[in-house]
Amino acid sequence: MQRRAVWLQAISVAQCEAIDFSSAMAQIALITGITGQDGSYLAEFLLAKGYQVHGVVRRSSTMNRGRIDHLQHANPSHPETSKFVLHYGDMTDSGGLNRLVKTVRPDEIYNLAAQSHVQISFDQPEYTGDADGLGTTRLLEAIRTMGLPTRFYQASTSEMFGLTPPPQSESTPFHPRSPYAVAKLYAHWMTVNYREAHHLFACSGILFNHESPRRGENFVTRKVTRGIAQILAGKLDKLRMGNLDPKRDWGHARDYVEAMWMMLQQDEPDDYVIATGVTRSVKDFVDTAFGLVGLDPAKYVVSDPAYMRPAEVHELRGDPSKAQRELGWKAETSFDTLVREMLENDMKLEGVDPTHHLIGAAKS
């Protein structure tokens, strides 16, 4: 039997109910947060494996699909050939999520949608809890009440560990230090509860910091690489930063989405820490990035109290040994390669030729 495919533009849940997705031979994946960094890399990964990918996007007066535009262009909108489908939805709308899960009947759900900025969560704690915490429960409940054999992936975060000393593993106690981390911890334990109480195939990936050129511009790593590109372009004199002392375990998002998929291919569901096992400070990231273009960060970086967190997480360093042992997963991209890739992308976006500034870049 062949599944009837759908047009590429986003459609409402009501429109979706008229479409039959139940007879496909290909695996069907539903990704919330598909327009984000992780969602776009995961969509690419799954499409390459032959999946039919459905993504949930929020209705907005402005388009925010720059990370997935290439996927829409690469997957024709002809109703017989489309493998990439977008649907309007919101993590705060249980009725819409229920209808979407019921209609698409996915083999796998990857719940990546979240208000994921730690600093913003202090300003919007209630919304963060609703979208990140209760939103996960709404999806889990949709799977349970419909009796679907859907496999569920929950995007947990290393921020849940908070003050707990490193290295942090699957058995390390949690001590969240932000509304974002608290909301994610609720979602994490709900995922465990639905697995144990209702026997859902539900996994949590406790991902440590993972970056890429697709990282949001208000995240610290992207702020650094974009700031350097703007300095080189003559658009910025100083880069204002918060605390440079916190240490993080940084990897590449492209590597980490493969681990998400691996978790849902196992015989039994479980939770896994995904990390490099190496920690570096924010200052290390700054120094590495500036060093790659031959600039002295002391001349450009200034401390700004406005970017200090009310409660800081001092050090996160994951122990990925379980994922290495049971999934066969290991981070492939080096720290220097990650920083270089982000710098090169931001230079191009700012109209700066990387070959003229990036140390070691091939001359054009």
Side-chain angles (χ1 to χ4, degrees):
M1 293 183 290
Q2 185 177 5
R3 174 177 301 275
R4 185 152 56 108
V6 198
W7 50 90
L8 275 173
Q9 66 266 28
I11 59 177
S12 68
V13 173
Q15 290 171 307
C16 181
E17 289 180 323
I19 303 164
D20 176 20
F21 294 115
S22 61
S23 58
M25 297 301 291
Q27 288 280 95
I28 307 157
L30 177 65
I31 303 174
T32 69
I34 197 168
T35 59
Q37 169 189 257
D38 294 4
S40 63
Y41 280 117
L42 179 61
E44 287 176 349
F45 178 84
L46 295 176
L47 285 167
K49 286 193 168 293
Y51 277 66
Q52 184 180 74
V53 175
H54 295 253
V56 181
V57 296
R58 283 186 299 171
R59 183 80 178 186
S60 174
S61 59
T62 58
M63 298 292 281
N64 182 28
R65 302 180 193 170
R67 297 182 181 96
I68 58 172
D69 278 344
H70 65 292
L71 298 178
Q72 292 183 288
H73 295 317
N75 291 270
S77 58
H78 190 280
E80 297 303 321
T81 57
S82 175
K83 299 283 288 182
F84 184 65
V85 189
L86 299 179
H87 308 267
Y88 286 121
D90 195 292
M91 296 304 292
T92 64
D93 176 16
S94 58
L97 291 175
N98 269 285
R99 289 192 296 273
L100 186 56
V101 171
K102 179 181 179 181
T103 305
V104 176
R105 302 182 69 84
D107 298 293
E108 299 170 0
I109 292 178
Y110 296 86
N111 183 33
L112 311 183
Q115 189 301 101
S116 58
H117 196 281
V118 173
Q119 184 68 41
I120 291 174
S121 76
F122 285 100
D123 298 324
Q124 296 185 310
E126 183 178 347
Y127 172 74
T128 301
D130 192 7
D132 299 9
L134 290 176
T136 301
T137 307
R138 294 178 182 114
L139 276 177
L140 289 164
E141 188 65 1
I143 297 171
R144 184 191 72 82
T145 57
M146 293 173 199
L148 298 176
T150 302
R151 296 190 169 200
F152 180 84
Y153 171 83
Q154 167 61 19
S156 289
T157 170
S158 59
E159 290 286 333
M160 300 186 307
F161 292 117
L163 282 182
T164 307
Q168 294 102 357
S169 70
E170 294 81 3
S171 59
T172 300
F174 298 113
H175 188 152
R177 295 270 283 171
S178 67
Y180 166 69
V182 172
K184 279 291 192 175
L185 185 55
Y186 172 88
H188 175 81
W189 282 119
M190 287 301 288
T191 301
V192 173
N193 182 259
Y194 271 73
R195 180 171 70 221
E196 296 177 350
H198 303 299
H199 310 293
L200 267 61
F201 194 107
C203 302
S204 279
I206 307 174
L207 272 57
F208 280 65
N209 294 65
H210 45 292
E211 318 299 315
S212 78
R214 301 179 191 177
R215 193 55 144 153
E217 294 175 357
N218 57 350
F219 285 83
V220 65
T221 51
R222 184 74 192 286
K223 180 179 179 179
V224 170
T225 58
R226 183 168 179 258
I228 291 173
Q230 291 178 330
I231 289 170
L232 294 173
K235 301 176 183 178
L236 191 70
D237 295 323
K238 298 293 183 180
L239 179 59
R240 297 187 174 278
M241 299 289 294
N243 190 351
L244 300 183
D245 295 329
K247 297 179 179 180
R248 295 293 183 267
D249 183 332
W250 277 301
H252 199 301
R254 186 175 51 232
D255 296 340
Y256 285 37
V257 299
E258 183 175 6
M260 300 176 187
W261 175 79
M262 287 178 168
M263 293 179 206
L264 297 194
Q265 312 315 307
Q266 302 305 300
D267 293 333
E268 298 294 333
D270 207 344
D271 305 322
Y272 297 89
V273 161
I274 303 300
T276 70
V278 179
T279 188
R280 293 176 175 86
S281 68
V282 176
K283 185 179 184 301
D284 291 334
F285 191 99
V286 169
D287 290 345
T288 299
F290 273 89
L292 283 171
V293 294
L295 295 180
D296 180 2
K299 296 180 179 180
Y300 300 97
V301 178
V302 295
S303 177
D304 190 335
Y307 297 108
M308 301 291 184
R309 292 183 183 179
E312 187 59 81
V313 173
H314 302 295
E315 182 175 359
L316 296 173
R317 174 165 49 91
D319 174 5
S321 57
K322 179 180 176 182
Q324 293 173 0
R325 183 176 65 253
E326 298 186 10
L327 303 180
W329 179 88
K330 185 178 181 180
E332 298 293 337
T333 307
S334 71
F335 178 75
D336 285 354
T337 299
L338 167 65
V339 179
R340 177 180 290 272
E341 188 178 319
M342 294 177 68
L343 266 175
E344 184 173 358
N345 176 76
D346 279 320
M347 286 183 195
K348 291 177 180 178
L349 290 177
E350 297 296 334
V352 176
D353 187 348
T355 63
H356 292 166
H357 299 277
L358 201 55
I359 295 174
K363 301 298 182 182
S364 57

